[in-house]
Amino acid sequence: EIYTYLGNNQWKRISGALTNVDVSDKDNVWGVNRNQLIFRYSRSENKWQHVGGRAIQISVGEAGVWVVNENHDIYYRAGTYGDVDTKGSHWVNVSGKLKWVSSGSDIVVGVNAADEIYYREEVSSTNPTGSRWVKVPGRLMQIDISEDQVVGTNSAHHIYKSPVEKNLTNCK
């Protein structure tokens, strides 16, 4: 079941069933269902819109929509950079293997099956897929980025955070 927050501790159920969902700072909502099908919520049509491709995890943010599939392949949705309200045009395979990815502002972060932490270098509006993955010291099993903070959990379920502008090296 999927719920949307109305404020004042009130939630409203909306149609659909997702196993992974992400909401951007501009309220763009993307999700993946148990069949690994990808959807985005169209506010103008007030319904879920199927987007081609398959994924197990999805992230939407200023750096666009990024997914990881069951083989840990990484894809970026062309035309979504800037957190625009669009389904984009097609998936672009990005080199590397990750189990979790997060789209931030001119940065994408992720972790692989060994819980190693990476960020994507040189992500920009003119180069939305960036140039290469850069390994960061530490280990996290899940990671997220919002504005200037990276937050993640390690295998012991401890929570770590680090400011982006300084470094991503404080997660152990």
Side-chain angles (χ1 to χ4, degrees):
E1 296 180 348
I2 306 168
Y3 291 85
T4 185
Y5 186 66
L6 302 174
N8 289 331
N9 293 323
Q10 295 186 10
W11 294 86
K12 176 185 174 187
R13 187 181 189 282
I14 60 175
S15 66
L18 302 173
T19 57
N20 183 254
V21 64
D22 197 30
V23 182
S24 74
D25 291 338
K26 294 181 182 172
D27 293 330
N28 291 310
V29 183
W30 287 68
V32 175
N33 72 10
R34 67 181 176 167
N35 296 319
Q36 301 177 9
L37 300 176
I38 302 167
F39 295 87
R40 69 178 285 271
Y41 193 76
S42 172
R43 292 189 304 263
S44 61
E45 298 176 22
N46 199 30
K47 67 177 186 177
W48 290 100
Q49 181 180 45
H50 179 254
V51 177
R54 291 187 178 270
I56 59 171
Q57 191 263 325
I58 195 161
S59 180
V60 57
E62 283 294 321
V65 177
W66 291 70
V67 299
V68 173
N69 70 13
E70 67 182 345
N71 297 319
H72 294 185
D73 298 319
I74 309 155
Y75 291 88
Y76 161 76
R77 186 73 178 177
T80 61
Y81 187 90
D83 194 13
V84 291
D85 186 17
T86 180
K87 71 175 188 174
S89 59
H90 62 281
W91 293 105
V92 177
N93 182 244
V94 177
S95 65
K97 296 277 190 180
L98 295 175
K99 67 176 180 178
W100 198 273
V101 67
S102 184
S103 173
S105 182
D106 289 336
I107 190 170
V108 176
V109 296
V111 293
N112 67 13
D115 293 346
E116 296 169 322
I117 307 163
Y118 292 87
Y119 73 92
R120 191 76 180 167
E121 195 171 58
E122 298 177 352
V123 173
S124 68
S125 60
T126 57
N127 186 22
T129 58
S131 61
R132 69 183 183 107
W133 293 105
V134 177
K135 188 176 177 184
V136 176
R139 293 196 184 273
L140 295 172
M141 65 178 192
Q142 188 174 332
I143 194 166
D144 198 11
I145 188 165
S146 179
E147 297 179 12
D148 63 349
Q149 290 286 316
V150 173
V151 179
T153 57
N154 68 7
S155 59
H157 303 284
H158 297 137
I159 301 168
Y160 293 89
K161 70 178 183 176
S162 177
V164 173
E165 68 274 5
K166 291 181 183 173
N167 60 50
L168 297 174
T169 62
N170 297 333
C171 305
K172 302 203 190 282

